[in-house]
Amino acid sequence: MQALNMENLESLAKRAKDESPEDQKKRERMEAFVAFIHMCLGIAMLALGVHYEDDDKTGEATSFLKVGGGVQLAANALKILAYLTPCKFDDKIQAVVTPLLDVAYFIIVIWGSVRVFGAYSEVDYENEDSETYCPKLPFQFAFFTLIVFWIMMPLMCCMGCCRMCCKMCNKSENAA
């Protein structure tokens, strides 16, 4: 197998820019679908956080659900808006703002993990007079949302790296 050098990388980057309109539309539809799923999750997080805000005496789960849900909702609403409108200006705004919101969400997940996982052993689901009382639904929703995030993030990174390596190998073999 031929070693990748700067010329090969430049030719691969040029081919990626020469994406066909059909492939571009297909990729954009898939990105919009994923953004819609994430937007629904953000709405659910925000709704649960706001609904149970007064009942959660610790504030651990509902604060994560409100802040994380709001950021996720905003980021994915921007992605969907950019997909649905023909204007290219909102695509440029989305290309700048959503990565910043994604980084903010990652920071919020770290903060939420510390708060929610830290309170896991002390939270009380039954005694509403307890200082550590939190309704079961928002706490478990926040808990499992965080667990799914921490499982899916490394898997998605690995799958992305594998996909990129396969594409690079395929394109370098076709160029040779």
Side-chain angles (χ1 to χ4, degrees):
M1 187 167 140
Q2 172 183 2
L4 290 176
N5 57 28
M6 252 345 227
E7 291 174 6
N8 287 341
L9 289 176
E10 288 172 2
S11 69
L12 288 175
K14 183 180 181 289
R15 282 190 215 136
K17 288 181 182 178
D18 297 336
E19 183 179 42
S20 72
E22 297 86 28
D23 289 340
Q24 183 179 7
K25 284 287 186 194
K26 183 179 176 183
R27 181 180 48 79
E28 288 174 353
R29 272 193 304 260
M30 182 57 75
E31 289 172 0
F33 176 72
V34 171
F36 178 75
I37 300 295
H38 284 208
M39 189 174 79
C40 291
L41 179 64
I43 290 170
M45 289 172 67
L46 193 57
L48 278 173
V50 170
H51 184 266
Y52 287 100
E53 179 179 23
D54 295 333
D55 297 336
D56 185 6
K57 293 187 179 170
T58 63
E60 307 296 341
T62 55
S63 60
F64 164 71
L65 290 172
K66 288 186 300 185
V67 175
V71 169
Q72 197 168 32
L73 176 63
N76 291 292
L78 272 174
K79 291 175 187 176
I80 292 172
L81 180 68
Y83 173 74
L84 293 176
T85 58
C87 178
K88 294 298 177 192
F89 182 70
D90 61 355
D91 294 347
K92 292 177 183 177
I93 291 173
Q94 179 263 334
V96 172
V97 174
T98 55
L100 297 175
L101 289 173
D102 290 341
V103 169
Y105 184 71
F106 181 72
I107 293 167
I108 291 166
V109 165
I110 293 171
W111 166 76
S113 296
V114 170
R115 293 192 66 174
V116 172
F117 295 151
Y120 180 74
S121 62
E122 299 167 0
V123 72
D124 184 6
Y125 300 125
E126 296 170 10
N127 184 7
E128 293 184 20
D129 296 329
S130 173
E131 290 182 18
T132 60
Y133 173 75
C134 179
K136 194 171 189 174
L137 180 64
F139 192 85
Q140 287 188 346
F141 191 78
F143 187 81
F144 289 116
T145 299
L146 290 167
I147 286 179
V148 168
F149 177 86
W150 287 117
I151 291 171
M152 293 303 293
M153 187 188 64
L155 287 176
M156 296 305 288
C157 289
C158 289
M159 288 174 25
C161 289
C162 289
R163 183 176 178 211
M164 182 183 67
C165 289
C166 289
K167 278 189 171 187
M168 288 175 56
C169 289
N170 188 23
K171 288 183 180 184
S172 65
E173 288 174 4
N174 290 342

